[in-house]
Amino acid sequence: MRELLLGLRLLLGSGRGNRVRFLLMAAGCAVGVCCLAMVLAIPGILAAQDGRKAAREADCPRSDRRVCVGADRAPRELELTDPYGSRPMTRVFHAPGAAAIHPPPGLSALPAPGEMFLSPRLHEELKKEPGLAQLLPGRERGIIGAQGLAHPDELYAYIGVRRDQLKNGEPVTSYGWSYTQDETVEPSTLDIVRFTLAGVVLLPLAVYLSVCARLSAAARGRRLAALRLVGLSKKGVQRVNAAETVAAALLGTVIGLGIYAVTNRLISHIGLPGFRWYPTDGSLSLSTALFCLIGCPALAWFAGAVGAKKAAANPLAVRRSAVEKAPPKWGLLPLLPGLGIAAGYCVAGATGHAPRDTSVSSILMPLAVVLIGLGLVMSLPILSRSLARTLAHTSRSLPLGLAMRRNEVDSGGALRVATGLVLLVYAASLVQGVLIELDQVSKNTSPVQTYDLPLDGVSDRKQRAFENVPGIQGHVVEARSWTDSTVDEVQDAISVLIATCAQLRGVSPMTKGCVEGRPTRLVDPQQTYDEPSRPGKVYPLHLYDEGKHRRVVEVLVPEKAIRYHDSAAVPVASSGAVLLPPSSLPAGFRPEGATLVLLSSSQPATVRSVLDGVGGVDPTAKVETPGVVVTALQQIAVVKTILAMGMVLGLIIGVAAYLVAATDRAVERRPQVTALSLLGARPRTLRAVQVTQVVLPLAVGLAWAVVAGKAAESSYLVTGGGAVFWDGAGVPLLLACALGAVVVAALGSLPLIGRRIDPELIRRD
């Protein structure tokens, strides 16, 4: 306790310079803790959104016979999720029953037929887009409260309808599940995001906080060595140093948490692209706040103890500025196995033997990423010293020789200055790999979009209206031949396409040889042929009309076949399907289980217009859009926003770590610069020395980071199972970032050499 009090007294009574340094340490820790809190708050935000989704899930408890209890008297609901641009729009159609139930969260009452409740964002969109009213029939009664919405930008509606209007509705007696089936980010994807954020933000953050905790390490080391020489114990020296660093870290943590609270309010109000949350969602939990309040001072204590170790063990060497020992070679050990694993996966991908989601890859790949990152940090002093010694022996340039001699003596300085930016460039490669993998999932490469509408319960009038929706380029009716569901054995069945030749060409312009009015087999060379579709075989096709009269038609697989090429991402018909002209069916009859397939352009505006038109015909129609999973697109948008936010935080931390370390190192070197000035060195030479000794180790570290980062990124893509293994397009961006970092470092080093010589800096030497 006596040593801790001594450390605080030295802090308060050792002059203005020490107090300024203390405030700088606290300010640096505040920035770091604010970034840390932002990263730690992301899982809480996602959990809060998923919790509100689970609370509004409709439920109906089932008996031992798996029958919903009270289904006859219970209200019914039908939930439809459609793409609205690139965002999902959810409509819950509610038909009241004989029994009354409590409304879901966010509603004061359930909507009656002809009424609806809208989310605030959907309310605004309805004002902007009049065509949206076709999907939202009824009079707006109120706004859904925040308790019933996942986030402020959610498009959600409760629409009241009559019971006879609701098809395929499910009974509901209460609301609220313990979990949701529609997570904002899937658990497997969230694990990838957490791991990436750890590399992008948390690793540079640990380096940054360590740098802040060791400001003016040389001056503090000399002071601690003096205390050791006058009789203070080794443990006492470490406690004195820790008192100052822990006090600065604790003050910075409190300030950082306050800054985060203000930032959370501001960003949640403005919103990020594709990712919004309520301010209460971003509030830190007690455990997270305690983690920051304990973790940051603990890291400062550790950094202070390591910094005071030399002064406590060998105070005379510190006071006399003895030459530093060469960094141990074992610092290269983590880098070698990490690069070995990454190189192995790259070779496997290049030779066509890429592993596919094996348990070994799920362990080796994260291990390789961690080992490479750790190896980059630990190898910087070794590489810097080796390069400096080589150049110092071979170079005849005075600025280069002075700079390299200094780096040879103080190779650890390169670690403090370059580590933040090196880790940032390395992490940027990993983020590029994650974004490439997400882009492969979300990219729509098909020029057309199909829409599947089940025709059960749809009248002929509505079917014709669906076919004439503006934007539709073609339409066909698809069905399967009848099979007996009561028989256990597998029965053969064929796909039947009911369309004229003109309609077939509307969905497949490359079809040739179609003869109007004649059944034909469709053969697509790019698909596997349907084996049951053999010429001469007969399959039953069950039909019904609007009066529910039933008939059976025998479908004979014809000999004649035409080549058919499907331009849609999801095939409209399988190879071997039988094309039947509509005239071959009795008037007014259609196949059981038939699906109306519509086709349009894949342009987002066209897709949105078609969905609006389908909603105008029947708002409760269930439309499937193969190839477009709008909830997945929304999830990918959230992940990309989170990763972009992580990159911005990593950039802030990396640049701040460089500025703090470079400035601190320049201040520590003022005595040496003054001595060189008194010996006759010109300011231009001193500036060249300063720039060279900062830029050269940084350039070497960044080059290593680009090479190691691309190896780690490629190995990640190889193990991810995607089609892209090599990211050549991302190399220029990484090189530009690395070059920009070098230029900024060079420019930032120039003002650190002053014009005035202050002999007081070397008076004691």
Side-chain angles (χ1 to χ4, degrees):
M1 191 65 179
R2 180 170 59 89
E3 291 86 353
L4 296 177
L5 293 176
L6 176 60
L8 294 177
R9 289 183 63 185
L10 289 174
L11 170 64
L12 297 175
S14 55
R16 185 179 64 178
N18 265 3
R19 290 193 290 271
V20 170
R21 187 185 71 244
F22 174 81
L23 293 177
L24 290 176
M25 291 169 60
C29 290
V31 174
V33 169
C34 181
C35 295
L36 176 63
M38 289 183 181
V39 174
L40 296 179
I42 291 175
I45 293 173
L46 299 178
Q49 294 183 355
D50 290 343
R52 286 192 294 273
K53 288 182 179 180
R56 71 190 183 195
E57 292 280 356
D59 191 20
C60 185
R62 300 183 182 274
S63 64
D64 296 338
R65 295 178 297 172
R66 311 301 299 167
V67 178
C68 182
V69 178
D72 295 337
R73 295 172 50 84
R76 291 184 172 270
E77 284 190 354
L78 174 64
E79 181 176 320
L80 300 177
T81 300
D82 302 309
Y84 183 76
S86 60
R87 293 181 294 168
M89 180 179 66
T90 302
R91 297 171 295 156
V92 179
F93 292 91
H94 178 86
I101 62 173
H102 290 288
L107 294 186
S108 57
L110 286 163
E115 298 177 343
M116 62 180 177
F117 290 88
L118 305 180
S119 64
R121 178 61 64 185
L122 191 55
H123 171 77
E124 295 176 5
E125 293 293 331
L126 183 58
K127 290 182 177 179
K128 298 178 184 177
E129 300 290 341
L132 191 58
Q134 300 178 92
L135 298 174
L136 302 170
R139 175 179 58 85
E140 186 176 348
R141 180 178 173 183
I143 299 296
I144 303 173
Q147 299 84 359
L149 299 173
H151 53 84
D153 280 346
E154 189 173 25
L155 302 176
Y156 209 87
Y158 290 95
I159 303 172
V161 295
R162 297 191 311 272
R163 202 173 180 89
D164 59 344
Q165 292 179 303
L166 196 60
K167 304 183 294 292
N168 303 321
E170 296 291 336
V172 53
T173 58
S174 62
Y175 294 93
W177 285 10
S178 58
Y179 64 93
T180 178
Q181 297 178 340
D182 181 27
E183 297 97 343
T184 305
V185 178
E186 291 182 356
S188 59
T189 306
L190 186 58
D191 291 339
I192 297 175
V193 172
R194 286 171 176 165
F195 182 75
T196 308
L197 288 180
V200 174
V201 180
L202 297 186
L203 282 179
L205 181 60
V207 174
Y208 172 66
L209 292 176
S210 300
V211 169
C212 291
R214 295 199 62 197
L215 280 174
S216 300
R220 289 160 64 190
R222 293 172 62 87
R223 186 179 63 189
L224 294 173
L227 292 175
R228 179 75 177 100
L229 290 173
V230 298
L232 197 62
S233 65
K234 292 182 179 181
K235 293 292 184 182
V237 169
Q238 293 180 346
R239 293 191 188 103
V240 168
N241 190 43
E244 181 177 1
T245 57
V246 170
L250 190 59
L251 177 61
T253 301
V254 174
I255 296 175
L257 293 177
I259 294 175
Y260 169 75
V262 176
T263 305
N264 174 52
R265 289 277 176 181
L266 180 62
I267 296 181
S268 62
H269 178 71
I270 298 175
L272 299 175
F275 189 35
R276 284 283 304 275
W277 66 89
Y278 292 104
T280 53
D281 295 346
S283 300
L284 296 180
S285 63
L286 180 60
S287 59
T288 303
L290 289 177
F291 177 81
C292 295
L293 288 170
I294 296 174
C296 186
L299 180 61
W301 176 283
F302 177 77
V306 172
K309 185 177 181 180
K310 183 179 178 181
N314 194 355
L316 285 177
V318 174
R319 291 297 298 175
R320 294 174 179 175
S321 301
V323 177
E324 297 280 347
K325 291 183 179 180
K329 299 294 184 181
W330 57 263
L332 293 172
L333 290 180
L335 190 61
L336 298 178
L339 286 177
I341 296 173
Y345 279 123
C346 290
V347 171
T351 56
H353 298 87
R356 298 297 182 184
D357 291 333
T358 63
S359 57
V360 177
S361 298
S362 63
I363 297 175
L364 288 182
M365 191 60 245
L367 180 63
V369 170
V370 173
L371 287 176
I372 292 175
L374 184 63
L376 284 175
V377 174
M378 299 181 66
S379 63
L380 277 180
I382 303 173
L383 297 176
S384 176
R385 181 183 176 86
S386 301
L387 179 65
R389 174 178 291 183
T390 302
L391 292 178
H393 281 295
T394 58
S395 174
R396 296 186 179 182
S397 170
L398 177 61
L400 183 59
L402 288 175
M404 293 301 99
R405 287 300 182 187
R406 184 62 196 175
N407 281 351
E408 182 183 359
V409 172
D410 184 21
S411 57
L415 180 67
R416 286 191 295 156
V417 174
T419 299
L421 293 177
V422 167
L423 285 178
L424 179 63
V425 172
Y426 171 65
S429 286
L430 298 179
V431 174
Q432 281 185 343
V434 175
L435 292 177
I436 288 172
E437 195 169 25
L438 291 175
D439 186 63
Q440 293 182 74
V441 176
S442 61
K443 191 174 183 179
N444 185 9
T445 58
S446 174
V448 297
Q449 176 62 51
T450 59
Y451 312 82
D452 296 345
L453 287 86
L455 289 178
D456 289 344
V458 177
S459 64
D460 291 339
R461 181 184 60 82
K462 284 187 177 181
Q463 178 181 342
R464 289 191 293 271
F466 287 140
E467 296 168 353
N468 294 321
V469 166
I472 295 298
Q473 299 175 355
H475 61 85
V476 294
V477 174
E478 185 184 15
R480 296 285 292 178
S481 61
W482 179 82
T483 56
D484 191 353
S485 59
T486 61
V487 178
D488 293 336
E489 63 183 19
V490 179
Q491 303 178 50
D492 290 340
I494 61 170
S495 176
V496 178
L497 210 65
I498 302 171
T500 63
C501 290
Q503 292 171 350
L504 181 64
R505 284 190 290 269
V507 298
S508 179
M510 298 178 65
T511 301
K512 294 181 180 179
C514 180
V515 178
E516 201 70 62
R518 289 182 57 183
T520 312
R521 277 186 301 124
L522 302 176
V523 179
D524 188 348
Q526 297 183 359
Q527 298 185 48
T528 302
Y529 189 82
D530 193 0
E531 289 297 332
S533 182
R534 293 187 291 270
K537 291 206 67 174
V538 178
Y539 293 92
L541 188 65
H542 284 213
L543 311 176
Y544 72 97
D545 63 2
E546 292 188 24
K548 299 302 180 184
H549 301 101
R550 299 186 178 276
R551 295 184 62 175
V552 178
V553 172
E554 300 291 339
V555 178
L556 174 66
V557 180
E559 288 283 350
K560 180 176 175 55
I562 61 173
R563 297 178 70 86
Y564 160 82
H565 176 67
D566 202 330
S567 58
V570 178
V572 173
S574 59
S575 182
V578 176
L579 175 67
L580 284 182
S583 58
S584 63
L585 300 181
F589 282 81
R590 69 162 67 105
E592 285 184 348
T595 300
L596 176 63
V597 180
L598 307 175
L599 185 138
S600 76
S601 167
S602 62
Q603 294 296 325
T606 304
V607 174
R608 179 174 158 185
S609 174
V610 169
L611 290 172
D612 287 345
V614 171
V617 177
D618 185 359
T620 64
K622 187 174 182 179
V623 186
E624 294 183 4
T625 52
V628 177
V629 183
V630 68
T631 53
L633 295 178
Q634 176 76 4
Q635 182 178 144
I636 290 171
V638 171
V639 171
K640 287 183 176 180
T641 300
I642 292 175
L643 292 180
M645 184 174 67
M647 283 300 299
V648 171
L649 294 178
L651 178 63
I652 293 173
I653 293 169
V655 173
Y658 164 74
L659 292 177
V660 169
T663 304
D664 184 54
R665 191 181 187 217
V667 171
E668 286 183 350
R669 288 202 62 247
R670 285 187 301 171
Q672 290 83 8
V673 172
T674 301
L676 291 173
S677 299
L678 291 176
L679 290 174
R682 293 180 298 177
R684 181 184 302 174
T685 302
L686 295 178
R687 290 191 179 94
V689 170
Q690 180 71 12
V691 170
T692 303
Q693 70 181 13
V694 170
V695 165
L696 201 57
L698 177 60
V700 172
L702 291 176
W704 262 109
V706 171
V707 174
K710 297 309 293 184
E713 177 196 356
S714 297
S715 58
Y716 170 79
L717 291 174
V718 168
T719 58
V724 178
F725 290 170
W726 320 112
D727 175 28
V731 175
L733 178 61
L734 280 181
L735 293 178
C737 293
L739 181 61
V742 171
V743 172
V744 170
L747 295 177
S749 302
L750 293 176
L752 300 180
I753 303 297
R755 294 178 177 274
R756 186 173 64 87
I757 299 176
D758 186 5
E760 181 66 20
L761 294 172
I762 60 172
R763 180 178 63 83
R764 293 184 179 87
D765 293 337

